[in-house]
Amino acid sequence: MPISTNEPERRLFPVFFLADASGSMAENGKWKIIQEVLSQCLQQLKDSPDPDFEVVITLLLLQNDGVAVEHHSEPVEQVAIQNYSTSGQSNYSAGIEKLLDLLKENKLPKNAHVPCLVLMGDGHVDSSFMYTLDKCLKDAFFKKSTRIVVEIGN
């Protein structure tokens, strides 16, 4: 039997960060903490390369009552945290709905790892957040994901 010299295909490991960048995050240094957490997470992923995995990052910011997609499925090596600013209101419901939309449209390969979803903020959610979260949890892909919540302040 001939020996294969083809390199094995790297498995995608998608990581989605959803960060509250509303005006309330400017209080008491909360935004500075979020930027530091993001920077440390990205640096750890960059410093621990695994030849079997390709980490791809999506970063969404909740601000001005909407969602800004700053990075979308970019290799971790190409992602740099900018000096983002805080403003307006946060709409957590819109954020997780956008996250669900991105998960569905990503069309991850069958061998991809289960996505990791990281929500960071002060927990000041909008009135429809629990309804929206329940709706998202009924989606098979969202339901299977690893979900991490980092509460800053309060």
Side-chain angles (χ1 to χ4, degrees):
M1 175 192 292
I3 297 175
S4 173
T5 58
N6 295 337
E7 294 212 11
E9 188 175 314
R10 295 175 74 196
R11 291 179 68 189
L12 280 184
F13 178 48
V15 180
F16 292 79
F17 290 99
L18 180 59
D20 182 349
S22 66
S24 68
M25 295 305 292
E27 301 167 3
N28 302 319
K30 292 184 277 187
W31 183 242
K32 184 177 180 182
I33 293 169
I34 282 196
Q35 287 196 299
E36 185 62 30
V37 168
L38 280 170
S39 294
Q40 287 181 13
C41 286
L42 289 174
Q43 195 58 52
Q44 184 68 34
L45 290 167
K46 290 175 184 178
D47 290 347
S48 305
D50 188 316
D52 297 329
F53 306 113
E54 180 180 356
V55 179
V56 291
I57 302 295
T58 298
L59 172 61
L60 300 103
L61 300 179
L62 301 174
Q63 59 188 176
N64 297 323
D65 207 30
V67 184
V69 180
E70 294 297 326
H71 297 280
H72 182 44
S73 295
E74 295 178 30
V76 69
E77 299 82 12
Q78 297 175 10
V79 176
I81 297 302
Q82 307 299 315
N83 191 16
Y84 303 115
S85 60
T86 59
S87 64
Q89 299 286 319
S90 58
N91 186 329
Y92 281 72
S93 296
I96 61 170
E97 283 180 331
K98 181 66 175 177
L99 187 59
L100 181 59
D101 290 344
L102 292 174
L103 281 169
K104 287 180 175 182
E105 72 184 40
N106 256 356
K107 307 259 189 292
L108 296 172
K110 289 186 189 266
N111 73 338
H113 281 279
V114 174
C116 178
L117 315 177
V118 182
L119 171 62
M120 297 183 292
D122 58 11
H124 296 156
V125 298
D126 53 281
S127 60
S128 60
F129 176 73
M130 291 308 294
Y131 170 79
T132 306
L133 180 60
D134 287 342
K135 183 176 80 172
C136 289
L137 287 170
K138 291 177 182 157
D139 177 81
F141 210 59
F142 193 94
K143 190 176 189 175
K144 290 179 187 177
S145 65
T146 300
R147 296 175 304 279
I148 300 169
V149 175
V150 179
E151 185 175 3
I152 308 293
N154 303 5

